[in-house]
Amino acid sequence: QVQLQQSGPGLVRPSQTLSLTCAISGDNVSSDDATWNWIRQSPSRGLEWLGRTYYRSKWYNDFALSVKSRIAIKPDTSKSQFSLQLNSVTPEDTAVYYCVRGRPGSLHFDYWGQGALVTVSS
Amino acid sequence: QTLVTQEPSFSVSPGGTVTLTCGLNSGSVSTTEHPSWYQQNPGRAPRTLIYNTNSRSSGVPDRFSGSILGNKAALTITGAQADDESEYYCVLYLGRGISVFGGGTKLTVL
């Protein structure tokens, strides 16, 4: 059974960097049969896919256009986890953030982390 | 900007059948977009119901089914139950690694 455990601060100051980590158990971040995604949810923006990382002989990333200029998603193979960094945050980035496993063939999301509320406020 | 459209709300009687749809403001939805459907209850992470248009995720009751109806993806619940009252989201894959969520449909069973 795949489990995703999220961690990171719940409060970030405007213009700073939001950082979250997702620890994977029951699978491996280097799996060639998975993608590792970050998705957020807020009342104003609904559910929003932010981006993904995955390994196919080398590492790849894809990002949503809305955040492409200020997002990074990085794997940590030594700990089988992956992280989200979102730079220059504003209050509009306040949301519940989920780490999610994706399936490359069917392009859907099957396992979700518990979610973490991140508030951007001074 | 490409938008994925869903009905904001729907209601169904217990035991009834309801079909929720998922469209694109820029054109038709087909299997190429790999439609998937998720159910979300308050305070919980979404749960996968349907993927690849019409494949049921493990443990999902067979009263949930997916299809393409006309130019949209569709989620049909046949024999709705009280605990189907929830928010339902579709996701479409738009190519180049990008997936987009619809705005969700709040389903009421009454």
Side-chain angles (χ1 to χ4, degrees):
Chain A
Q1 178 79 345
V2 175
Q3 292 188 322
L4 304 173
Q5 183 66 41
Q6 302 176 217
S7 59
L11 178 65
V12 182
R13 305 300 182 193
S15 81
Q16 300 299 304
T17 297
L18 180 159
S19 296
L20 294 171
T21 299
C22 183
I24 303 162
S25 58
D27 200 345
N28 193 291
V29 71
S30 303
S31 167
D32 62 3
D33 193 32
T35 63
W36 304 100
N37 300 260
W38 287 97
I39 292 168
R40 68 181 178 184
Q41 185 172 29
S42 65
S44 59
R45 301 173 74 97
L47 279 162
E48 181 182 16
W49 175 82
L50 299 177
R52 65 180 184 175
T53 190
Y54 60 98
Y55 185 76
R56 303 290 184 267
S57 303
K58 68 175 186 176
W59 289 100
Y60 293 87
N61 286 110
D62 296 301
F63 300 120
L65 295 177
S66 59
V67 295
K68 191 170 186 176
S69 63
R70 57 190 185 99
I71 189 173
I73 298 178
K74 297 178 181 178
D76 181 343
T77 57
S78 66
K79 298 179 181 178
S80 195
Q81 63 186 30
F82 63 110
S83 64
L84 168 69
Q85 289 187 324
L86 190 63
N87 303 322
S88 306
V89 296
T90 71
E92 284 237 326
D93 294 309
T94 295
V96 175
Y97 285 77
Y98 294 99
C99 60
V100 186
R101 189 180 81 165
R103 303 318 304 272
S106 51
L107 296 163
H108 77 286
F109 308 113
D110 59 357
Y111 288 96
W112 296 66
Q114 78 274 24
L117 174 62
V118 179
T119 301
V120 178
S121 174
S122 54
Chain B
Q1 181 186 0
T2 301
L3 295 176
V4 177
T5 60
Q6 295 184 248
E7 300 87 358
S9 63
F10 232 115
S11 64
V12 62
S13 300
T17 296
V18 63
T19 297
L20 313 181
T21 67
C22 176
L24 273 173
N25 68 338
S26 55
S28 298
V29 177
S30 71
T31 56
T32 303
E33 282 74 39
H34 297 269
S36 54
W37 292 89
Y38 304 82
Q39 178 191 55
Q40 187 180 32
N41 292 318
R44 305 293 298 273
R47 164 200 180 199
T48 311
L49 296 177
I50 300 289
Y51 62 94
N52 242 3
T53 305
N54 55 13
S55 296
R56 254 187 310 277
S57 190
S58 176
V60 173
D62 60 7
R63 66 178 182 274
F64 292 92
S65 61
S67 64
I68 299 292
L69 283 181
N71 61 353
K72 295 184 178 182
L75 173 71
T76 299
I77 307 173
T78 304
Q81 299 183 1
D83 62 2
D84 296 335
E85 184 162 297
S86 188
E87 191 92 23
Y88 293 85
Y89 294 91
C90 69
V91 174
L92 300 178
Y93 177 71
L94 300 186
R96 286 180 284 183
I98 296 175
S99 295
V100 180
F101 282 85
T105 297
K106 183 173 176 58
L107 181 67
T108 301
V109 180
L110 50 73

